[in-house]
Amino acid sequence: VGPPIFTSERLYDKTQPGVVMGLAWTSMGGSSLYIESTLDKPLSYYNSENKKIYSTPQFNQTGQLGSVMKESSIIAYTFAKSFLLKRDPSNTFFQYASIHMHVPEGATPKDGPSAGCTITTALLSLAMNQSVKDNIAMTGEITLTGKILKIGGLREKTIAAKRSGVKYILFPEDNKNDWNKFPDYIKEGITGIPVGWYEEIFNFVFEKNVSNIKDVNNIKN
Amino acid sequence: VGPPIFTSERLYDKTQPGVVMGLAWTSMGGSSLYIESTLDKPLSYYNSENKKIYSTPQFNQTGQLGSVMKESSIIAYTFAKSFLLKRDPSNTFFQYASIHMHVPEGATPKDGPSAGCTITTALLSLAMNQSVKDNIAMTGEITLTGKILKIGGLREKTIAAKRSGVKYILFPEDNKNDWNKFPDYIKEGITGIPVGWYEEIFNFVFEKNVSNIKDVNNIKN
Amino acid sequence: VGPPIFTSERLYDKTQPGVVMGLAWTSMGGSSLYIESTLDKPLSYYNSENKKIYSTPQFNQTGQLGSVMKESSIIAYTFAKSFLLKRDPSNTFFQYASIHMHVPEGATPKDGPSAGCTITTALLSLAMNQSVKDNIAMTGEITLTGKILKIGGLREKTIAAKRSGVKYILFPEDNKNDWNKFPDYIKEGITGIPVGWYEEIFNFVFEKNVSNIKDVNNIKN
């Protein structure tokens, strides 16, 4: 089938749990951008008296994020916690997890609210120890209740997504008119999925909508 | 009855507990604005020794709020706590609740004291697990004792409220003269309700003036 | 007796405990200004083991206060605590009280030391659960030992006080010469009360110089 043509922007061949591809928009055009999240300490350990000690929940961000994007990540964190509590009350990950989120590349300043749904997905992916499906990118501001709000630069983001080998792009329902007006050559080979609420993203990107039991088990009481 | 004409500004069809529609005023005119509030951790959980652990009360804000609006939210928080203590002493929500308040859209800086009564209502709605009635928007500065103070831009706010499908707009009694001078075409289809003290807002927006017992119960001792 | 003529600046018909009218002075003239104070959490509650837990003393301010007024409120807080300890050692309010002080209106920046005696009175009124007498306003810097220092703009403040229906204005003894020089039409209908020490204010504004026993009792051990 020949060699891939545009892969330089693709950081991951297969994303691991905690990592999700978002899309950014600058005066230079669009570009893909990864949200990475990981635990920065074990969820629990045994102390010298052989007592199980749980870590304290925390959420830190790096990646030269501006104030809007920092707030956006806190909104995503709050929403992810309440969403998982409803979806899978047995998953106690967030109760103990000290999480570090990073947005490469480290020297590039980033800002804006449109990675909200991507950050939410990265955190849920980490919490459930489940990768998102391949070839997916997403963009959309998220509110505390999971509503997905309109974003800018969908055209440039779509072009960037294709360049990174993305097959499905999830974007806010309120950007549907933008999408419909794009010429066919832009939409060729990529499927646009408009979403109104976060739940629609969740149902689309995760293979099975439950936690990966094996790994979550070890943090249960 | 035909299709709704102006709905693009309406984020929620039916607001959930913790969410209330306010109104903002800019040099560009008025616009509706939602105050969202939610718990960012469970009120309580059982630790490894099967002991019930309560969360610690906290109140965080996001949404690019300026210093006046941040203070306004703290005033609203203090007032909401003391108001609920008098209204329903059995409701211990605020004693444990770690609350995150957000004002979408995340990239738009917001400031001013006029969402005070809206924030108060959002927090009480969350605490009582009760939605406010539909089709209501409100604007008004609140003081620590629940007095509702005059605000600016009532005309623009009223127009924005109608555009968002609002049927009742609550505003400060001291703005009554403004309201009376509005031409009829502005007031058509919307009922203005002047209020002097917060209690009048509370009695108007909540169906039953008691906590939703089922949900509050689970945080009682 | 006819209708009241100037009432727009009067926020409260009857002030509640914790609220006292002060006076401000700007380039635009004088104006009345309320110091509001309230508890932002209950003094005590019963935890799950039915043990009485007392709240931790704290003092927070809102109202866009400048650094001088913030310090002034801290001086007032310190003085109020030591004053009450001497006056009524049985009153343990300040030992536990988490207090929120606010100065409406929320969007107006305020600064200066001249509300010191007003803040002191508001805090003592809250601690004793006793309203101050009606129709009183006051202005004066306070020192840590309760000395009342000279302030500016007494003329403008007196005019503003009258506009708000005030019958007695308390001001620093060192401003007595200013007062004596005011033309009669300014002093008509208002009684000026020069004070050198805070105790004189206290003795004038409170009906009974002891705590409202019924309400204070419930915070005693």
Side-chain angles (χ1 to χ4, degrees):
Chain A
V1 270
I5 298 168
F6 296 111
T7 55
S8 70
E9 287 204 0
R10 202 169 172 81
L11 214 62
Y12 290 93
D13 282 331
K14 189 164 169 46
T15 54
Q16 58 190 74
V19 179
V20 178
M21 192 198 284
L23 298 161
W25 176 44
T26 68
S27 56
M28 313 275 291
S31 79
S32 67
L33 141 166
Y34 283 90
I35 305 292
E36 300 182 333
S37 66
T38 185
L39 282 178
D40 58 19
K41 53 180 71 111
L43 285 170
S44 67
Y45 68 95
Y46 286 91
N47 73 0
S48 49
E49 276 105 40
N50 210 32
K51 204 188 154 199
K52 200 172 189 174
I53 305 292
Y54 289 95
S55 85
T56 307
Q58 250 191 310
F59 182 45
N60 298 306
Q61 307 95 30
T62 54
Q64 293 298 302
L65 311 185
S67 69
V68 172
M69 192 161 178
K70 250 188 203 152
E71 283 195 349
S72 166
S73 73
I74 294 167
I75 296 157
Y77 178 53
T78 297
F79 177 74
K81 286 190 284 184
S82 71
F83 185 83
L84 193 62
L85 207 60
K86 275 174 212 148
R87 271 279 169 151
D88 184 0
S90 72
N91 186 321
T92 57
F93 178 85
F94 286 122
Q95 204 170 306
Y96 307 116
S98 178
I99 299 170
H100 181 164
M101 175 190 108
H102 177 56
V103 191
E105 305 166 356
T108 312
K110 301 152 201 94
D111 208 351
S114 74
C117 65
T118 321
I119 300 169
T120 305
T121 306
L123 295 173
L124 288 170
S125 160
L126 185 70
M128 303 192 308
N129 194 32
Q130 241 194 82
S131 296
V132 299
K133 283 183 214 165
D134 287 340
N135 305 319
I136 286 176
M138 64 189 70
T139 180
E141 176 174 347
I142 197 166
T143 77
L144 264 193
T145 62
K147 183 100 188 84
I148 305 298
L149 301 188
K150 201 173 179 174
I151 48 85
L154 184 58
R155 187 191 177 112
E156 292 79 0
K157 288 174 176 176
T158 304
I159 294 168
K162 279 175 68 177
R163 210 164 49 217
S164 297
V166 167
K167 296 280 172 265
Y168 300 95
I169 177 169
L170 292 87
F171 59 80
E173 211 160 64
D174 286 349
N175 286 95
K176 217 164 147 180
N177 278 338
D178 300 348
W179 180 265
N180 290 337
K181 281 182 213 141
F182 293 167
D184 281 345
Y185 75 88
I186 288 188
K187 292 188 272 189
E188 206 200 320
I190 190 163
T191 306
I193 298 169
V195 289
W197 292 87
Y198 183 75
E199 190 160 30
E200 302 161 43
I201 298 182
F202 186 86
N203 290 337
F204 188 84
V205 302
F206 291 109
E207 289 283 352
K208 7 165 212 173
N209 295 334
V210 292
S211 301
N212 186 331
I213 297 298
K214 184 172 61 71
D215 293 74
V216 169
N217 256 347
N218 74 354
I219 62 157
K220 285 206 196 124
N221 301 314
Chain B
V1 268
I5 298 170
F6 297 110
T7 55
S8 69
E9 288 204 359
R10 203 171 173 79
L11 214 62
Y12 290 93
D13 283 331
K14 192 164 169 45
T15 55
Q16 57 190 76
V19 179
V20 178
M21 193 198 282
L23 298 162
W25 177 44
T26 69
S27 56
M28 312 276 289
S31 79
S32 66
L33 140 167
Y34 283 90
I35 305 292
E36 300 183 331
S37 67
T38 184
L39 283 177
D40 59 19
K41 53 181 67 113
L43 284 170
S44 67
Y45 69 95
Y46 287 91
N47 74 359
S48 49
E49 277 103 40
N50 212 32
K51 202 189 155 200
K52 199 173 189 172
I53 306 293
Y54 289 95
S55 83
T56 307
Q58 249 190 308
F59 182 45
N60 298 305
Q61 307 94 28
T62 54
Q64 295 296 301
L65 310 184
S67 68
V68 172
M69 193 161 177
K70 252 189 201 150
E71 283 194 350
S72 165
S73 73
I74 294 166
I75 296 157
Y77 178 52
T78 297
F79 176 75
K81 285 190 285 184
S82 71
F83 185 83
L84 193 62
L85 208 60
K86 275 174 213 147
R87 271 280 169 150
D88 184 359
S90 72
N91 186 322
T92 56
F93 179 86
F94 286 122
Q95 204 169 308
Y96 306 116
S98 177
I99 299 171
H100 181 164
M101 175 190 108
H102 176 56
V103 191
E105 306 167 356
T108 311
K110 301 153 202 95
D111 209 350
S114 75
C117 65
T118 321
I119 299 169
T120 305
T121 306
L123 295 173
L124 288 170
S125 161
L126 185 71
M128 303 192 308
N129 194 32
Q130 242 194 80
S131 296
V132 299
K133 282 183 214 167
D134 286 339
N135 305 317
I136 287 176
M138 63 188 69
T139 180
E141 177 174 347
I142 197 165
T143 78
L144 265 193
T145 62
K147 183 102 188 82
I148 305 298
L149 302 187
K150 200 172 180 177
I151 47 87
L154 184 58
R155 187 191 177 112
E156 292 79 1
K157 288 174 175 176
T158 305
I159 294 168
K162 280 176 66 176
R163 211 165 47 216
S164 297
V166 165
K167 296 276 172 269
Y168 300 94
I169 178 170
L170 292 87
F171 58 80
E173 212 160 65
D174 286 349
N175 286 94
K176 216 165 146 180
N177 278 339
D178 300 348
W179 179 266
N180 290 337
K181 282 183 214 142
F182 293 167
D184 281 344
Y185 75 89
I186 288 188
K187 294 188 268 188
E188 206 201 321
I190 191 163
T191 307
I193 299 168
V195 289
W197 292 87
Y198 183 74
E199 190 160 30
E200 302 161 43
I201 298 182
F202 186 87
N203 291 337
F204 187 85
V205 302
F206 292 110
E207 289 282 351
K208 7 166 211 171
N209 295 336
V210 292
S211 301
N212 186 333
I213 297 298
K214 183 170 62 71
D215 292 74
V216 169
N217 256 347
N218 72 355
I219 61 158
K220 286 204 196 127
N221 301 314
Chain C
V1 265
I5 296 167
F6 296 110
T7 55
S8 70
E9 287 203 0
R10 202 170 173 80
L11 214 60
Y12 290 93
D13 283 331
K14 191 167 169 45
T15 56
Q16 57 190 77
V19 179
V20 178
M21 193 199 281
L23 297 163
W25 176 44
T26 69
S27 58
M28 310 276 289
S31 80
S32 66
L33 141 166
Y34 283 90
I35 305 291
E36 299 183 332
S37 67
T38 184
L39 283 177
D40 59 19
K41 53 182 66 114
L43 284 170
S44 67
Y45 69 95
Y46 287 92
N47 75 357
S48 49
E49 276 102 39
N50 213 32
K51 200 188 156 201
K52 199 172 187 173
I53 306 293
Y54 289 96
S55 85
T56 307
Q58 251 190 308
F59 182 45
N60 298 305
Q61 307 93 29
T62 54
Q64 295 296 300
L65 310 184
S67 66
V68 173
M69 192 162 180
K70 254 190 199 150
E71 283 194 351
S72 164
S73 73
I74 293 166
I75 296 158
Y77 179 52
T78 298
F79 176 75
K81 284 190 285 184
S82 71
F83 184 84
L84 193 62
L85 209 59
K86 275 174 216 148
R87 271 281 169 149
D88 184 359
S90 71
N91 186 322
T92 57
F93 179 86
F94 286 121
Q95 202 170 310
Y96 307 117
S98 178
I99 299 172
H100 180 164
M101 176 190 108
H102 175 57
V103 191
E105 306 167 357
T108 311
K110 301 153 200 95
D111 209 351
S114 74
C117 65
T118 323
I119 299 170
T120 305
T121 307
L123 295 173
L124 288 170
S125 160
L126 185 71
M128 304 191 307
N129 194 32
Q130 242 194 81
S131 296
V132 300
K133 282 184 214 165
D134 286 340
N135 305 318
I136 287 176
M138 63 188 68
T139 181
E141 178 173 347
I142 197 166
T143 76
L144 266 193
T145 61
K147 181 103 188 78
I148 305 297
L149 303 186
K150 198 173 181 177
I151 48 85
L154 184 58
R155 187 190 176 112
E156 292 79 359
K157 288 173 175 176
T158 305
I159 295 169
K162 280 176 65 176
R163 210 165 47 215
S164 298
V166 166
K167 296 278 173 264
Y168 300 95
I169 177 169
L170 293 87
F171 57 80
E173 211 159 65
D174 288 348
N175 286 94
K176 216 164 148 182
N177 277 340
D178 300 348
W179 180 265
N180 290 339
K181 282 183 215 143
F182 293 167
D184 282 345
Y185 74 90
I186 287 188
K187 294 189 268 189
E188 205 200 322
I190 190 163
T191 306
I193 299 168
V195 290
W197 293 87
Y198 183 73
E199 191 161 29
E200 302 161 45
I201 298 182
F202 185 86
N203 291 337
F204 187 84
V205 302
F206 291 110
E207 290 281 352
K208 5 164 214 176
N209 295 334
V210 292
S211 302
N212 185 333
I213 298 297
K214 181 171 63 74
D215 293 75
V216 170
N217 256 347
N218 71 357
I219 62 157
K220 287 202 195 129
N221 300 314

